[in-house]
Amino acid sequence: MITVKQIPPELTYDIRHIVLRAGLPRESCFWETDRDAFHLGGWLGVRQVGVATFQPEADPDAPDRPAYRLRGMAVLPDAQGQGVGALMLLSGEDRVRRLGVFQLWCDARIGAAAFYRRYGWEAYGGVYTIPTAGEHYRMKKTLGKTAVCG
Ligand SMILES: CC(C)(COP(=O)(O)OP(=O)(O)OC[C@H]1O[C@@H](n2cnc3c(N)ncnc32)[C@H](O)[C@@H]1OP(=O)(O)O)[C@@H](O)C(=O)NCCC(=O)NCCS
């Protein structure tokens, strides 16, 4: 069974490190913005296999509009493709909506762009490279007023 719940930043570091920062120091997974963010963990049964972070940060293209930025979305390789990422994404969207914010954006790895598109995110601009994490698209989503999941 998949469950998603809010977690402290400390419970994001290991999965971020394995999935998103392999070969880099573990400290590269500690982000200053973590203290202002909310973090979700995804479980398959009793095992935590996923993390996602939503931090309040305006979209650089719309600096005056409240927005959340999605960062650090990761599911352990052997647990991918079982619905954990989707449930974390939709749960996070619902939490942002309940906070009264309707704009979301992220820097999406190009390999994950199709995942985000499935859930209504759109890519803007061209491909650009983040030195620690490869090629990305800027992606955005405007949330509707109605929750998708609880
Ligand atoms: C991208 C990621 C978070 C998705 O999580 P996941 O648990 O594997 O995804 P889910 O099982 O919930 O997938 C939901 C749907 O999206 C599809 N999907 C998942 N990853 C996909 C991808 N990279 N490209 C296209 N479709 C994808 C699944 O097939 C599934 O489709 P279905 O509903 O028809 O079965 C995960 O694969 C991951 O951690 N990848 C490596 C790190 C990464 O790229 N993170 C994103 C950084 S921006």
Side-chain angles (χ1 to χ4, degrees), residues 19-20 51-54 70-75 85-86 88-89 115-116:
V19 180
L20 299 172
V51 292
T53 291
F54 294 78
L70 168 60
R71 291 186 79 186
M73 164 70 80
V75 174
M88 292 194 301
L89 183 65
F115 166 74
Y116 293 113

Side-chain angles (χ1 to χ4, degrees), residues 106-119:
C106 73
D107 290 323
R109 294 178 179 213
I110 56 171
F115 166 74
Y116 293 113
R117 276 200 200 93
R118 293 178 89 86
Y119 300 100

Side-chain angles (χ1 to χ4, degrees), residues 5-146:
K5 61 187 179 190
Q6 193 158 348
I7 56 173
E10 294 73 27
L11 284 187
T12 66
Y13 300 152
D14 287 346
I15 294 176
R16 281 181 185 169
H17 196 208
I18 292 166
V19 180
L20 299 172
R21 297 286 187 276
L24 294 174
R26 193 166 184 273
E27 291 69 32
S28 68
C29 302
F30 309 164
W31 303 333
E32 197 151 325
T33 45
D34 278 340
R35 61 170 175 261
D36 301 320
F38 70 83
H39 311 274
L40 299 180
W43 273 256
L44 273 179
V46 296
R47 179 181 175 224
Q48 188 190 350
V49 297
V51 292
T53 291
F54 294 78
Q55 65 190 48
E57 181 177 339
D59 175 348
D61 294 336
D64 298 328
R65 197 168 55 181
Y68 267 75
R69 175 182 177 187
L70 168 60
R71 291 186 79 186
M73 164 70 80
V75 174
L76 291 173
D78 71 326
Q80 291 175 8
Q82 299 181 60
V84 176
L87 194 58
M88 292 194 301
L89 183 65
L90 296 175
S91 300
E93 290 182 6
D94 280 346
R95 279 170 190 262
V96 169
R97 185 185 290 106
R98 285 201 297 270
L99 291 166
V101 176
F102 298 93
Q103 304 298 324
L104 275 162
W105 65 280
C106 73
D107 290 323
R109 294 178 179 213
I110 56 171
F115 166 74
Y116 293 113
R117 276 200 200 93
R118 293 178 89 86
Y119 300 100
W121 292 63
E122 291 179 80
Y124 286 79
V127 176
Y128 56 95
T129 300
I130 297 178
T132 50
E135 293 185 318
H136 285 70
Y137 288 120
R138 173 71 41 86
M139 297 190 80
K140 304 179 189 191
K141 180 173 180 177
T142 299
L143 300 175
K145 301 281 180 194
T146 311

